[in-house]
Amino acid sequence: MAAVAAFLLFNRLGEIRHPIWDEAYNLPTAARFEAGRAQFASHPPLGLMLIAAGDRLSGLNAGVDQRALAAVKAIRSEDMPPGYDYRGPRLASALFGTLGAALFFLLMVELTRSAGAALALSTLYLCDTALLAQFRAAHLDAFQLAFALAAMLCAARMHSARSARSGLGWALGFGCAAACAALVRANGVVLFVMAPFAVWPLLGAREWCAAAVRTLAIGGGAAIALAVVAASYVLLSREPPAAETVAGAQDGRFVSAAHKTALESGDWSVGSVVAASRDYAAYMRADLEAIPRRDPNGSHPLGWLIGKGAILYRWDASSTSFRVLALVPNHAAWLLSLLGVVWTAIRCLRRRDALRLMLLAGWAAAMGVLAWLDHLRVLYVYHYFIPLLIGHALLALAWREARFSQRPAQVGLAAIALSFAAAAPLALHQDTGRWRCELFLPQCP
């Protein structure tokens, strides 16, 4: 699975030599991290730091002057530094997308108890053209989904642990992975809704002490993740914002006195790290209030259930070719995710168990948060990715319980493959006919 994902994600990774969608914001942020400047962004820092780390470790942009890039909050294609290699900031995203494929397979094995079924169900991830488009750019989704899949795998293993003691490691891992997902994008906090259901079997067995210890382990894992990310942010942001730049002036307005003192003196304490974290949160709140409620590329949660909300990122046309880069869902895979949710909801009317309820509660919480945010700000189809993957996990449970015959499985796989073949040229920026663009994208040029 990982090898197939790596081929799809790394091949021609730097071909598009322009910022793709949120790369217009993420590349300047990564440049400031590489320059060691204190800064704030619309999202928590973990994913952005990983983008910067991938670029720095690759060495592909070591000789590029990125000062103009770091000076702004958003960059236009024509203002990018000469010689900039886009593979650098995209490497970490492709790597985590590959890691996510392996984690998805392991989760499917855990839920179906069948390697064959897990291989078949892994096409839901590998053939999803929406995931493919996002993971091939310096976006945040690959990081959040890898951590979300790790959290779901730990939660499932914790649920099936034969003893309270054997589940402690999985509890710690769940807390750490769920917190990391939230530290990439704040909506990842919904994964913690699964925690009570992971402890539920112990309560049913009246193992109160073991349940309390497992709960503390979940909290401890989250605290470790938070502390490590906060410390990493401080280590990568030791210089004050460059006040003479547009980005530095904007960030400087949110630097508190304690944070400023630490930046100027280099003497960091727990209090100054907390102050820096509060400053970051204040910036995020202010940014949320400034986000518009409508956008031509925006969409709504109900439409995502059936794969609506495709986004056109760019198009390139000449007398001999027509290329489009777009986020287009694999409609068959997304409908199967919805089938998993519906199947589980019906089954819960008859028989309830902690694992089924845990995943269903996670899906409902994620969709509830998105429905609430839909009234506050514009949303895009990629905000649906966490509930989408939870739906796939519920489908895996349905597979195990229903013992699907060969024919329905073949039909599902064929539908996924056909949907992938139809939309893949748009996700991979391949030469395609205008008809394909018009089929999937209402805003096709």
Side-chain angles (χ1 to χ4, degrees):
M1 293 299 104
V4 175
F7 173 77
L8 291 171
L9 294 174
F10 284 95
N11 186 37
R12 298 167 42 241
L13 186 62
E15 180 189 56
I16 298 178
R17 297 182 178 87
H18 307 275
I20 300 170
W21 193 247
D22 278 349
E23 285 187 341
Y25 305 96
N26 295 345
L27 300 187
T29 302
R32 286 190 291 276
F33 272 126
E34 293 187 57
R37 293 287 181 184
Q39 61 170 319
F40 311 111
S42 304
H43 298 289
L46 178 55
L48 299 165
M49 290 191 297
L50 289 171
I51 292 172
D55 184 43
R56 172 62 67 86
L57 292 174
S58 74
L60 293 170
N61 290 306
V64 176
D65 185 354
Q66 299 191 47
R67 286 177 294 179
L69 179 59
V72 295
K73 283 292 184 179
I75 190 78
R76 298 180 302 175
S77 180
E78 57 268 28
D79 296 329
M80 287 294 296
Y84 190 84
D85 194 325
Y86 287 87
R87 291 175 299 171
R90 293 172 185 166
L91 277 175
S93 180
L95 179 62
F96 270 75
T98 303
L99 174 62
L103 290 169
F104 189 89
F105 173 75
L106 292 175
L107 178 62
M108 295 298 104
V109 170
E110 177 67 23
L111 296 176
T112 63
R113 305 302 169 90
S114 166
L119 282 171
L121 289 168
S122 290
T123 57
L124 294 165
Y125 182 100
L126 292 173
C127 294
D128 195 332
T129 41
L131 300 181
L132 186 58
Q134 291 300 95
F135 296 172
R136 287 174 55 84
H139 293 157
L140 301 177
D141 307 276
F143 309 116
Q144 186 181 55
L145 295 189
F147 290 126
L149 287 167
M152 285 190 277
L153 178 60
C154 288
R157 290 280 177 88
M158 182 173 24
H159 174 269
S160 61
R162 295 183 179 180
S163 67
R165 179 175 295 179
S166 64
L168 283 182
W170 297 115
L172 188 71
F174 169 79
C176 184
C180 285
L183 289 167
V184 174
R185 271 204 183 105
N187 67 319
V189 74
V190 299
L191 293 167
F192 283 102
V193 171
M194 298 182 184
F197 298 93
V199 178
W200 184 1
L202 295 177
L203 296 176
R206 298 183 181 277
E207 298 184 37
W208 308 105
C209 183
V213 172
R214 183 174 289 186
T215 302
L216 289 174
I218 293 173
I224 291 171
L226 184 61
V228 169
V229 171
S232 300
Y233 169 74
V234 167
L235 288 173
L236 291 173
S237 310
R238 305 300 292 269
E239 298 294 327
E244 69 279 6
T245 66
V246 174
Q250 184 174 337
D251 289 329
R253 293 197 293 269
F254 290 86
V255 176
S256 64
H259 188 185
K260 182 179 180 180
T261 299
L263 288 170
E264 292 175 346
S265 65
D267 184 15
W268 288 87
S269 64
V270 173
S272 55
V273 173
V274 170
S277 301
R278 288 176 176 172
D279 295 345
Y280 203 112
Y283 183 96
M284 288 177 58
R285 288 193 298 270
D287 184 76
L288 177 62
E289 295 174 357
I291 294 176
R293 296 184 61 181
R294 294 291 180 267
D295 183 285
N297 289 299
S299 50
H300 303 285
L302 284 179
W304 303 336
L305 299 176
I306 56 174
K308 288 188 175 181
I311 305 174
L312 174 65
Y313 284 157
R314 67 174 291 108
W315 63 280
D316 301 279
S318 68
S319 59
T320 59
S321 69
F322 183 80
R323 294 174 181 264
V324 167
L325 177 65
L327 188 159
V328 178
N330 183 313
H331 288 82
W334 288 39
L335 288 173
L336 286 170
S337 175
L338 179 60
L339 174 63
V341 176
V342 173
W343 176 281
T344 303
I346 293 173
R347 292 287 292 172
C348 283
L349 295 176
R350 297 182 180 181
R351 184 171 66 89
R352 299 177 179 86
D353 67 75
L355 181 58
R356 186 187 291 114
L357 287 174
M358 177 182 72
L359 293 171
L360 190 61
W363 184 90
M367 290 303 294
V369 168
L370 291 170
W372 170 67
L373 287 173
D374 193 37
H375 294 284
L376 300 178
R377 52 155 293 173
V378 63
L379 293 177
Y380 303 99
V381 66
Y382 47 77
H383 289 120
Y384 175 61
F385 284 168
I386 286 180
L388 174 71
L389 293 188
I390 296 176
H392 292 337
L394 292 170
L395 181 67
L397 285 180
W399 182 300
R400 186 176 75 184
E401 294 172 355
R403 296 181 177 86
F404 286 132
S405 63
Q406 189 175 6
R407 182 58 60 82
Q410 290 175 341
V411 171
L413 288 173
I416 293 170
L418 287 172
S419 185
F420 175 78
L426 305 179
L428 296 171
H429 195 241
Q430 295 176 338
D431 193 12
T432 184
R434 186 177 291 273
W435 66 269
R436 196 186 307 266
C437 178
E438 294 173 347
L439 177 65
F440 288 103
L441 298 163
Q443 67 271 46
C444 183

